[in-house]
Amino acid sequence: MSKHKHTPLQLGSAALLTTLALSSTNALANDETTQCEETNCSQEEMELIRIHGVRNSIYKVDHSGDIRRQAELFDIPQTITVLTKDQIDESGRSDLKEILSSQAGVTLGTGENGNAFGDRYIIRGHEARSDVFVDGLRDPGMSTRESFSAEQIEITKGPSSTFAGRGSSGGAVNSITKKASTAYDFGRVDASLGTDDYNRVVVDYNKPLTENFAARINLLTASEDAPNRDGIERSRDGVLLSGLYDNTNDLRVFSDFYYLESEDTPDLGSYFNSATRKPVEDIPVYAQEEDFLDSEIMAFTVRTEYDINENFKFYNATRYGETENGYISTGARGNVRAEEDTLAPNVASIGLSTHQGWQEIEYFATQFNFLWDVTTGEITHDLVLGIEFTDEQVTNGTYDITYNNPTNCTTAGRGGVSGSYCLLDENSEVYANPSKIIGRTFEQGNSDSLFDASTISAYVMDTAKISEKWQVFFGLRIDSIDYSNDVVSRGNPIDYAYKDDFYNGHLGLVYSVAEHGNIYATYATATNINGGESDVGASCGYGGLCGDPDQASVADPELVENIELGTKWEFLDERLFLAATWFQMTKSDVMESVGDDYSTLGTLNTGKNRVDGIEFALNGNVTETLSVQISASTMESEVLESYTAENVGLALSNFAEDSFYLQLRYQPTEKFAFGGDFTYKSEMFGGQPDSAAGYNTDLGDYSIVVPSYNVVNLFANYNATENMTLRLNLGNIADKEYWTAAYRSGAFMYLGDGRTVRATLTYEF
């Protein structure tokens, strides 16, 4: 069993210091080591040089950036995938959504109206859109998230309630933020240009101000058009300002201010053709010129580390944040003009629809931790004792929209025959000026959901070394939640409110079968509140609440139990990490909407489902010149119990049974490196989150099918000088059209990006 431990000092700079003891992958590392030996550089300073050099890509880290994880990743009895900044940069991805969706075991979800905006992740078949964290604190609400400020991204698979609290049914995502350091003076600029008017500039500069103070600034500005989708635009502007006070003895105080503004033209992609049983290919761009998807995030965080004595440490993280989101987007769906249509009766067309909503979020979180290294008899304990308070206030609403242009077709719908907006004319050709068909004007309307969740939590975690062979992890957490949600459902105001206490635990055993190999077994639980998804109000089909408030207040929480058996190994002087695991996750008391598709009767805890799977991971340096990251999973999902008997035996929605990700980097010379990545996802089926995929009994098949897909990306690095590196990224080199997720009716299916070519110049100073 590995004997390495990390201290709060090392993790105070989070992922900046998590690569200690890793060797570089090219000759420049030797040059830097020689220089540091001549100038008496500390080991910490040597590693920081390697971390920041684009000439040295790191694909393996030893520790989590979460200070509460006392063991090395190698000794943690759970599956955790860590993506380093180097991997992310070389992959050419930047938005968190596209980074995560490439990974094995993770897929995307869709939404409609109140929950269509922002990023949605599904981990091991379970909704995780509210299980996103930054430096161990929950990042609530729906928004667009970027990676420019992240040093590494950690994906925890399986229930994580001991660390994360409520939710985390299938896992959690934790971004580790770049932090200031007094150990180095370093700057870096990454400037990129590419096809589709792509441009991106990222500045990262750390400056020691005195022996005890340091500052760091990260800046981002970026914009692009979606490949092959003229008129679909994306822009990002962000800043991370970080400060550090370090008395060099026992106290360190980190602070940072984060801001991100995203402005996109949303694209809901294609739709499912029920006649051909396939998504419609090469669908024209139909977004209207007034469409937008805007997100503004602001957060201020303070972290304090204090070494009370050699064995007793204190750590606090406190954050206040505000987020504003809003969108109006256009949907497209196949339709047929009505017989009453005067222009082209009974002719097939594509109908346009409006989806919209806004959200305002205000949240506060503070977390107090005591880290205690203590020995009882022959057993050594790394204890974490913590308390946490969070308050999340989320206001959701809609826009008041005026449709200024006359309708251009007549269709039959639920309300009978009426005027509509169609993309295709009587000759099945796209109308001229398709972005001006509807002509909306709008203003922000009233709110329809006031979500408030205050939580007081207490937890204890112990990593106990029983002997040279045995290690035990034990965690127990209680979350006391005070929940309210004042909603307007179909014009009727309803007040939901309840209080509940959740108890969750995690027990893991690790047995060392060799110096660099172990096997482990783990049992963990997670609990989710009814109505826990803050973005959906009374849409209980997507995790909100509806029906009778008294019934909702006494409903049971959803419970997830996970059993996992795995093994972890390190090879080649600990440069290469391998893990394999089998798991079984059972979710009981699943909320199911009772009644019609949009649930008029409320929610009942009548569902139960199970996901079984095998997951494999390999990352690190195979040789001094070859680096690799592999994640692969094969899973099966099944609904075990349901209010709707026909759902029993069906698979979960937006669930890929097989997925695979491979990223390689080969550096044959000091100046040149090249590589690429490959993503594969098997077919998925549309449906409501965390419940059965839609099934057509007449066809004897699933109603909405997302075809399997694979995508290949390539990159090449050229180290022009000691300070300058050039990188070329080729995305989706085959220019394949593929779809990443489907709405439950098939009304829209998200499109993956087409081929891209991007060049990046990195200058270090």
Side-chain angles (χ1 to χ4, degrees), residues 503-700:
Y503 298 87
N504 287 288
H506 187 174
L507 177 64
L509 302 176
V510 182
Y511 177 71
S512 179
V513 296
E515 182 179 0
H516 298 294
N518 65 43
I519 56 175
Y520 69 87
T522 192
Y523 171 81
T525 67
T527 311
N528 201 18
I529 63 176
N530 289 288
E533 303 299 346
S534 63
D535 58 308
V536 290
S539 178
C540 55
Y542 271 84
L545 284 176
C546 60
D548 181 76
D550 293 332
Q551 171 248 327
S553 67
V554 298
D556 295 325
E558 296 180 320
L559 175 65
V560 177
E561 297 177 279
N562 183 60
I563 301 172
E564 188 168 320
L565 302 174
T567 183
K568 297 182 179 182
W569 293 82
E570 289 183 317
F571 303 99
L572 307 176
D573 295 327
E574 302 182 32
R575 297 198 314 267
L576 187 66
F577 173 82
L578 181 148
T581 185
W582 168 86
F583 64 90
Q584 182 180 87
M585 293 172 48
T586 304
K587 187 173 187 178
S588 56
D589 289 319
V590 176
M591 289 187 298
E592 292 189 304
S593 54
V594 180
D596 63 19
D597 289 343
Y598 291 89
S599 307
T600 57
L601 301 181
T603 52
L604 297 175
N605 296 100
T606 50
K608 185 177 183 179
N609 58 57
R610 177 169 291 162
V611 176
D612 295 270
I614 297 173
E615 194 154 342
F616 170 84
L618 179 72
N619 64 282
N621 298 330
V622 180
T623 68
E624 290 186 353
T625 57
L626 178 62
S627 302
V628 62
Q629 192 235 339
I630 297 175
S631 61
S633 68
T634 179
M635 304 181 290
E636 291 184 355
S637 64
E638 182 182 4
V639 173
L640 302 178
E641 298 175 6
S642 176
Y643 178 85
T644 304
E646 293 80 3
N647 288 343
V648 175
L650 298 182
L652 296 176
S653 62
N654 285 314
F655 175 86
E657 289 192 349
D658 301 314
S659 54
F660 178 80
Y661 180 75
L662 165 67
Q663 185 167 339
L664 291 173
R665 182 186 195 273
Y666 181 62
Q667 184 159 356
T669 70
E670 179 183 344
K671 286 185 173 291
F672 181 66
F674 65 93
D677 63 80
F678 172 81
T679 298
Y680 169 78
K681 297 289 172 69
S682 62
E683 69 177 7
M684 299 177 284
F685 311 114
Q688 292 188 171
D690 283 345
S691 48
Y695 194 80
N696 189 318
T697 53
D698 293 334
L699 292 175

